[in-house]
Amino acid sequence: MKFSVFTVGMPEYSPEEAVRTLKECGYDGAEFRVCPLPDDPEVLKQAPSYWGNNRCTVNEDTLLEEGPKLRALCEREGVEICALGTYMRCSETERAERALKAAANMGVSKIRVSPYGYDGKENYRTLFDRAVCDYRVLERLARRYGVKINLEMHMGTITASASAAYRLVSHFDPRWIGVIYDTGNIVYEGLEDYQAALEILGEYLDHIHIKNGRWEMTGEENGVQNWAPTWASFRKGYTDFDKMFRAIRSAGYDGWISFEDFSAEESTEEKLRRNLEFIQGFAK
């Protein structure tokens, strides 16, 4: 298996700085965050952050033009672009097609396109049926451009668990539609036994995100404790990485493992170095 970092977790770095740092730290690749860049002066004045003023983001609006330069940079440094992590929904066909075309031009084999969120305001089955129709269109585009589309297991969506994700992607050809398994997101919602989850996904398992989370008590009211999930460092959360990597080996998965770490106890570079060393111990 190969190790990469999803650049959402490197908000203070430019893409150029990120590529050089990942090479120095011993990673094999980068999964680039792709979305429209903010143009609000107030946002741009803010300190770098994961989902705000994130400097390690590739501008979706200029990806077709700038993508080859990014590819050349990574080739010079010996860092592979394993995927493009976009933030578009499955209904946004035109945006997805531009990203697929850009990925094909860059020699990138897969992009992320998200399913619908679920907040209880619209019936789950209605959202599910709509998503099947949307991904059917995307599947044809993926085949046309030779680039795979993955959806992520993510809390607050219709594919929070492996079972839910499989129910959706089972309608499609696994050569063109797959699943990103995420060890941190399932702490929030969607946790199933690791090995069972990977067996459920089977041939649709195409990418793995690893990060960590935990639940903390947020207060007490009328004698009832209130709990909520939050992000955690790799060593201090709920994810059982030993059990997870045993499940990965049992499933025969030998693809990309992409790191994310939204904890705040260490600097970004410290997390990059320590997390890789930590995980390599389980991946042997």
Side-chain angles (χ1 to χ4, degrees):
M1 61 189 71
K2 296 181 180 180
F3 298 110
S4 65
V5 171
F6 186 21
T7 63
V8 66
M10 304 177 69
E12 68 271 45
Y13 291 77
S14 68
E16 294 78 12
E17 293 167 339
V19 170
R20 289 192 290 269
T21 301
L22 292 177
K23 180 65 174 180
E24 291 169 1
C25 290
Y27 288 89
D28 304 294
E31 178 180 354
F32 280 99
R33 182 180 193 257
V34 175
C35 65
L37 293 181
D39 55 9
D40 184 341
E42 295 304 314
V43 173
L44 295 175
K45 286 190 288 187
Q46 296 172 2
S49 61
Y50 298 125
W51 301 284
N53 185 22
N54 189 313
R55 296 180 60 234
C56 209
T57 299
V58 178
N59 191 353
E60 179 189 327
D61 297 333
T62 58
L63 182 61
L64 273 169
E65 297 78 17
E66 300 298 324
K69 298 178 185 177
L70 185 62
R71 175 182 180 176
L73 166 69
C74 291
E75 288 177 345
R76 286 197 303 271
E77 298 293 337
V79 173
E80 186 175 348
I81 305 175
C82 66
L84 300 179
T86 81
Y87 288 77
M88 59 193 66
R89 291 291 185 191
C90 55
S91 58
E92 298 178 290
T93 307
E94 291 184 4
R95 289 178 68 191
E97 183 169 9
R98 288 196 298 270
L100 287 166
K101 183 177 181 180
N105 290 343
M106 296 167 66
V108 178
S109 64
K110 51 194 171 186
I111 69 171
R112 179 181 69 174
V113 179
S114 300
Y116 292 106
Y118 179 79
D119 59 9
K121 295 178 181 178
E122 190 169 7
N123 187 278
Y124 180 95
R125 291 189 177 189
T126 302
L127 293 169
F128 181 90
D129 291 343
R130 190 184 305 149
V132 170
C133 294
D134 290 337
Y135 279 104
R136 188 162 286 129
V137 175
L138 295 176
E139 181 184 32
R140 291 195 291 269
L141 291 174
R143 183 182 294 110
R144 180 187 304 172
Y145 289 97
V147 176
K148 191 168 187 175
I149 289 175
N150 285 328
L151 59 87
E152 186 174 12
M153 289 166 48
H154 201 289
M155 60 281 195
T157 73
I158 62 172
T159 57
S161 68
S163 296
Y166 175 76
R167 181 168 176 257
L168 179 56
V169 298
S170 63
H171 289 79
F172 310 109
D173 188 333
R175 292 176 297 176
W176 304 115
I177 303 291
V179 173
I180 303 170
Y181 185 95
D182 192 297
T183 66
N185 291 348
I186 57 174
V187 174
Y188 279 59
E189 180 188 3
L191 178 62
E192 297 170 309
D193 178 82
Y194 299 129
Q195 182 167 329
L198 299 190
E199 290 173 356
I200 288 166
L201 292 175
E203 66 273 25
Y204 292 95
L205 174 65
D206 190 63
H207 197 66
I208 294 177
H209 282 173
I210 55 171
K211 57 179 176 283
N212 213 345
R214 62 172 180 258
W215 284 70
E216 294 181 341
M217 191 173 73
T218 58
E220 187 170 329
E221 187 175 355
N222 298 324
V224 177
Q225 294 180 352
N226 297 316
W227 292 74
T230 187
W231 300 120
S233 70
F234 272 51
R235 294 166 179 78
K236 295 183 180 180
Y238 185 82
T239 302
D240 185 336
F241 288 109
D242 180 51
K243 187 175 182 182
M244 179 66 210
F245 275 89
R246 282 190 276 117
I248 288 172
R249 287 191 291 272
S250 177
Y253 179 82
D254 195 32
W256 285 96
I257 304 289
S258 199
F259 288 63
E260 298 176 286
D261 189 339
F262 302 134
S263 63
E265 298 176 10
E266 299 174 300
S267 71
T268 298
E269 186 166 349
E270 287 172 334
K271 289 189 291 186
L272 290 171
R273 294 184 184 279
R274 281 168 51 81
N275 289 346
L276 181 59
E277 180 181 2
F278 179 64
I279 291 301
Q280 284 175 328
F282 299 112
K284 293 177 180 177

